[in-house]
Amino acid sequence: MNETKQLPLLREKFFRRDRRSVPAARAFALWALEDWGLGARSDDVLLCVSELATNALLHGVPVGRGFRVHLRYGDAVLRIEVHDSGDGWPRLREPDGESGRGLLLVEVLADKWGVGVRDPGKIAWCEFGISSA
């Protein structure tokens, strides 16, 4: 029997170290979701993109650098990765006033999340089980 395997759908984009990059990353993710016909859980996905991008921007991107957002969809799993070249390492912590809730939100909304090593820096990622329309 001759089976064909569907390759995952991929999108990636670079964003500068700029406060406008977080809404731009969110718009980029929305465009990819709409292009792929993945409306389910889009609010959760977009919030997690915002939180991971904000974390990279505030804690992970050195001056003069930027971050990259990767989106991959295959086998009913959407994976979001935010790559940065900074030294800081994301971790869950107790909220402090208006800050400190980002990774708590990601932990609650995503099916899985974590942080991986890249040289230099790290990759903060999360995954969602999503069936295409």
Side-chain angles (χ1 to χ4, degrees):
M1 181 177 207
N2 204 5
E3 293 183 29
T4 59
K5 185 173 180 174
Q6 181 79 23
L7 293 175
L9 300 170
L10 302 169
R11 297 284 190 278
E12 67 177 79
K13 187 169 182 176
F14 176 82
F15 297 92
R16 296 190 184 283
R17 186 177 190 253
D18 183 287
R19 63 181 176 82
R20 294 171 292 193
S21 291
V22 172
R26 188 178 170 100
F28 165 70
L30 178 60
W31 168 78
L33 292 174
E34 289 174 347
D35 189 45
W36 296 338
L38 302 177
R41 299 185 74 184
S42 62
D43 289 340
D44 293 347
V45 168
L46 296 175
L47 183 54
C48 287
V49 167
S50 292
E51 294 302 334
L52 294 179
T54 298
N55 237 18
L57 190 65
L58 294 177
H59 307 293
V61 179
V63 175
R65 300 264 176 107
F67 63 94
R68 186 170 294 279
V69 175
H70 294 234
L71 303 170
R72 182 178 72 221
Y73 179 71
D75 297 325
V77 174
L78 174 68
R79 182 176 175 101
I80 300 160
E81 295 181 355
V82 176
H83 298 232
D84 73 62
S85 58
D87 294 333
W89 200 259
R91 61 182 169 73
L92 288 173
R93 62 186 178 112
E94 286 296 315
D96 179 24
E98 292 297 313
S99 66
R101 291 177 175 81
L103 288 180
L104 291 171
L105 289 171
V106 172
E107 182 174 63
V108 168
L109 297 174
D111 297 328
K112 292 197 262 185
W113 78 276
V115 183
V117 176
R118 76 184 283 269
D119 189 17
K122 70 205 138 306
I123 303 165
W125 60 269
C126 63
E127 293 181 345
F128 294 85
I130 301 177
S131 296
S132 60

